[in-house]
Amino acid sequence: MIAQPDIAAAYLPLHARLHLGLDSADGAAVVIAPGIAVTNAHNANLLNPKIVIGARADYDLLFFRTARSAAPQTALPVIGESVTAYGQGADRELRVAHGTVREIKTCPGCTAPAYFTFVGNAGPGFSGGPVLDDSGRLVGITFGYKDAKSERLIYAYDMARVRAELEAFGHSAPAR
């Protein structure tokens, strides 16, 4: 159960049966503006194509329409800050991963950070899911992970990057 009411109202589990119902896939999404949610572009197979607003393959982001309107407060990630990520397990159960922001990566000429990393125990099913700070504010969207030595490094897009990519489709998600 998600303890923060804003995120609980905005969290969208994604699940689809694939290959004649024998295989399944899981991911997550979150509402970022009234009627608009975000997940990863590699989760496109988990959504009805008719609700898709657009995908940014270069940033692995996909925006889609939703009936939900509750968008959570957002904030910027801070190096050393504790974060919590949410995702879906294979049995459709909510999964939670706790970690600490390790690094914020920028790109030349970008108006928003490219992404940030945190150490935690997120993995399959967390793609497209929300990352929250200790105050329960949305700081990012998970897009990948890499095992390195004795830890797992999780990658997430900063909400400034997510808003910038949504604006490319002529929509806006206000910074709250």
Side-chain angles (χ1 to χ4, degrees):
M1 179 176 184
I2 299 176
Q4 298 87 357
D6 287 353
I7 296 298
Y11 179 80
L12 300 166
L14 302 178
H15 178 80
R17 292 262 181 235
L18 308 171
H19 308 290
L20 303 173
L22 300 175
D23 295 327
S24 65
D26 297 282
V30 66
V31 177
I32 57 170
I36 300 173
V38 65
T39 190
N40 293 140
H42 71 260
N43 284 339
N45 62 328
L46 304 178
L47 295 167
N48 180 337
K50 294 178 181 178
I51 65 171
V52 172
I53 293 169
R56 300 291 296 185
D58 52 342
Y59 279 104
D60 193 19
L61 290 168
L62 182 141
F63 301 94
F64 64 97
R65 289 182 221 48
T66 179
R68 294 200 190 173
S69 61
Q73 295 283 328
T74 62
L76 297 174
V78 175
I79 293 175
E81 172 181 60
S82 294
V83 292
T84 302
Y86 292 95
Q88 286 304 115
D91 294 324
R92 296 188 188 185
E93 80 279 3
L94 178 69
R95 294 178 56 209
V96 180
H98 302 283
T100 304
V101 176
R102 162 115 5 121
E103 187 174 27
I104 299 172
K105 290 287 198 175
T106 58
C107 58
C110 291
T111 58
Y115 62 90
F116 66 97
T117 62
F118 63 97
V119 175
N121 191 23
F126 281 83
S127 293
V131 181
L132 314 178
D133 66 11
D134 276 344
S135 297
R137 297 173 300 186
L138 182 63
V139 295
I141 304 299
T142 303
F143 71 89
Y145 67 94
K146 177 175 103 173
D147 291 321
K149 297 183 183 174
S150 63
E151 62 187 20
R152 180 169 278 178
L153 194 58
I154 318 308
Y155 295 85
Y157 293 116
D158 175 295
M159 289 312 296
R161 166 61 47 214
V162 173
R163 281 192 297 276
E165 297 306 318
L166 177 61
E167 288 172 7
F169 293 109
H171 295 277
S172 65
R176 299 172 23 133

